[in-house]
Amino acid sequence: MQRIGLGYDVHAFAEGRRLVIGGVDIPFDKGLDGHSDADVLVHAVMDALVGALRAGDIGKLFPDTDPAYKGADSIKLLEQVGELVRGEGWRIVDIDTVLMIQEPKMAPHREQMRANIAAALQIPVENVGVKATTTEWLGYEGRGEGVTAQAVTLLEK
């Protein structure tokens, strides 16, 4: 049996925060706003995995009303999602992602993002895709107001 999961996340930029995407601390003058570290890419991956399990969404697993997740490292949360997937008897076949971000450029960080996600989920790095695109200055991403991430995953049992 196979299942597909789709994940989507958005975070606004905020002053005085670290920019963490794909578990990489990226030098930039602002970070993403959120209850945890606001790692938009990892959140989309988690949502795709939880969706494929038909287990709701990450808000159900890690509610932003719970102080335990304040400032949480999203890679650590992703490890927990990976344990959940394996615990339910599923294998992660593949993950593909895309970031919609005008700046900063993601290309210098792409391979480390792939490696971080793969390590957290205990899967080969070849099974994780990370892409980024600008929005040609259109929309909130183009105006530098925030970042969007989408992820799709394939599970097999």
Side-chain angles (χ1 to χ4, degrees):
M1 177 175 14
Q2 294 182 327
R3 283 197 189 155
I4 296 170
L6 176 65
Y8 177 90
D9 197 36
V10 175
H11 283 277
F13 278 115
E15 300 292 330
R17 299 234 343 155
R18 295 171 29 235
L19 180 59
V20 180
I21 300 178
V24 178
D25 235 320
I26 299 171
F28 197 55
D29 63 345
K30 52 195 164 195
L32 294 174
D33 195 20
H35 186 67
S36 66
D37 62 6
D39 189 328
V40 67
L41 180 62
V42 171
H43 292 181
V45 170
M46 288 191 295
D47 229 21
L49 291 166
V50 173
L53 290 177
R54 309 301 186 248
D57 55 39
I58 62 171
K60 180 179 174 185
L61 292 180
F62 311 113
D64 63 7
T65 54
D66 188 336
Y69 302 115
K70 179 74 173 157
D73 179 342
S74 293
I75 288 288
K76 298 291 183 199
L77 301 179
L78 181 59
E79 289 172 359
Q80 292 179 42
V81 172
E83 290 171 13
L84 177 64
V85 170
R86 289 186 300 278
E88 294 287 326
W90 293 91
R91 179 178 70 87
I92 301 168
V93 176
D94 200 58
I95 295 170
D96 193 28
T97 67
V98 63
L99 285 159
M100 282 68 73
I101 182 169
Q102 194 65 45
E103 58 181 358
K105 294 295 183 195
M106 296 291 106
H109 312 289
R110 180 185 344 251
E111 294 310 312
Q112 188 60 56
M113 292 175 185
R114 291 179 65 217
N116 291 346
I117 292 167
L121 294 171
Q122 300 176 17
I123 63 174
V125 71
E126 299 81 33
N127 297 28
V128 178
V130 173
K131 304 175 296 304
T133 186
T134 68
T135 61
E136 302 296 331
W137 306 103
L138 297 173
Y140 62 87
E141 299 101 338
R143 292 188 299 271
E145 296 170 13
V147 181
T148 300
Q150 292 184 345
V152 63
T153 188
L154 175 64
L155 302 184
E156 186 172 69
K157 196 172 212 178

